[in-house]
Amino acid sequence: MIDSFNYLLKVIVIGDSGVGKTNLLLRFVNHTFQDDLKSTIGVQFFTKVVSMKNEHIKLQLWDTAGQERYRSISTTYYKGSHGVIICFDLTHQDSLDNVVKWYEEVKQQADLNVKIILIGNKLDLSQQRVVGSDTAQQVAKQIGAGYIETSALTSQNVEKAFELLIQEIYMQLK
Ligand code: GDP
């Protein structure tokens, strides 16, 4: 039963280094958070089974494992993905400025009908926040993506963000 599922979906996470991609995945999959994990965790993807309308969906959630630091994400990373999470850091303007570059890469590398969600992470750091919701919303609109703000630290909106994306993908499968 554990390993029976109706759909297998590949979801990838991209965005600048340090925005919280690995921690978003860890929070969603393991309900954990780690301050410094790059040396210990180098996994290619996490898996998690979720349910939607009595159907089981096995998610394959791909982590860049630091490849983005060298701006050399391999084409296999994008290949066959159903969903893309583009993540930026609400406390770093340049990470939002780079979202469009990430989107261009998605357009070049991923399937045409891939679903995209934009996540503004580190919502808990309200004192250091520099990106306003309106600005981020505009970028999301520009790239045709939904927008949501999360904290991998407190787990605020993390489930919701993944649910939004999975729902969008699921609707297209039907
Ligand atoms: P990645 O390089 O995009 O995978 O980012 P990481 O998940 O490795 O996180 C980079 C740094 O940001 C680490 O020190 C994390 O502890 C921290 N971090 C990640 N998410 C959050 C968050 O939601 N809130 C806060 N305060 N720190 C975060």
Side-chain angles (χ1 to χ4, degrees):
M1 195 54 206
I2 296 263
D3 221 34
S4 75
F5 50 87
N6 306 90
Y7 300 103
L8 175 65
L9 300 183
K10 177 177 175 180
V11 172
I12 63 170
V13 188
I14 54 174
D16 285 4
S17 182
V19 297
K21 298 182 297 298
T22 304
N23 271 289
L24 279 168
L25 290 172
L26 278 177
R27 175 58 72 197
F28 179 61
V29 176
N30 293 344
H31 307 287
T32 56
F33 183 85
Q34 269 177 266
D35 229 358
D36 185 19
L37 37 78
K38 283 291 131 70
S39 48
T40 48
I41 301 184
V43 296
Q44 224 174 3
F45 60 79
F46 300 84
T47 55
K48 183 176 171 110
V49 178
V50 296
S51 300
M52 194 143 301
K53 296 187 178 153
N54 288 329
E55 291 195 297
H56 299 296
I57 300 170
K58 186 167 183 170
L59 299 171
Q60 218 175 54
L61 302 153
W62 289 62
D63 187 16
T64 59
Q67 288 180 78
E68 76 282 17
R69 266 178 275 176
Y70 314 101
R71 281 216 136 265
S72 62
I73 294 201
S74 66
T75 39
T76 47
Y77 192 72
Y78 291 94
K79 210 170 178 182
S81 56
H82 301 88
V84 179
I85 294 172
I86 305 181
C87 186
F88 74 94
D89 178 346
L90 290 164
T91 72
H92 282 92
Q93 178 67 44
D94 51 339
S95 71
L96 178 70
D97 297 341
N98 286 332
V99 164
V100 175
K101 287 183 202 154
W102 286 111
Y103 173 68
E104 293 298 331
E105 202 157 300
V106 173
K107 273 208 309 195
Q108 275 176 21
Q109 309 271 8
D111 290 355
L112 214 58
N113 54 358
V114 71
K115 298 294 174 201
I116 306 170
I117 190 166
L118 180 65
I119 289 185
N121 188 43
K122 307 196 186 180
L123 185 55
D124 58 287
L125 298 176
S126 47
Q127 299 290 318
Q128 286 115 281
R129 180 173 177 148
V130 293
V131 177
S133 297
D134 289 353
T135 315
Q137 284 279 10
Q138 273 171 20
V139 175
K141 205 172 162 189
Q142 193 185 334
I143 65 172
Y147 176 60
I148 189 160
E149 296 177 351
T150 61
S151 167
L153 178 67
T154 67
S155 77
Q156 190 178 352
N157 281 346
V158 174
E159 289 267 334
K160 203 171 156 189
F162 282 90
E163 268 167 27
L164 276 175
L165 181 65
I166 296 157
Q167 255 166 23
E168 255 200 76
I169 301 168
Y170 181 79
M171 270 159 24
Q172 186 184 264
L173 297 169
K174 293 276 119 186

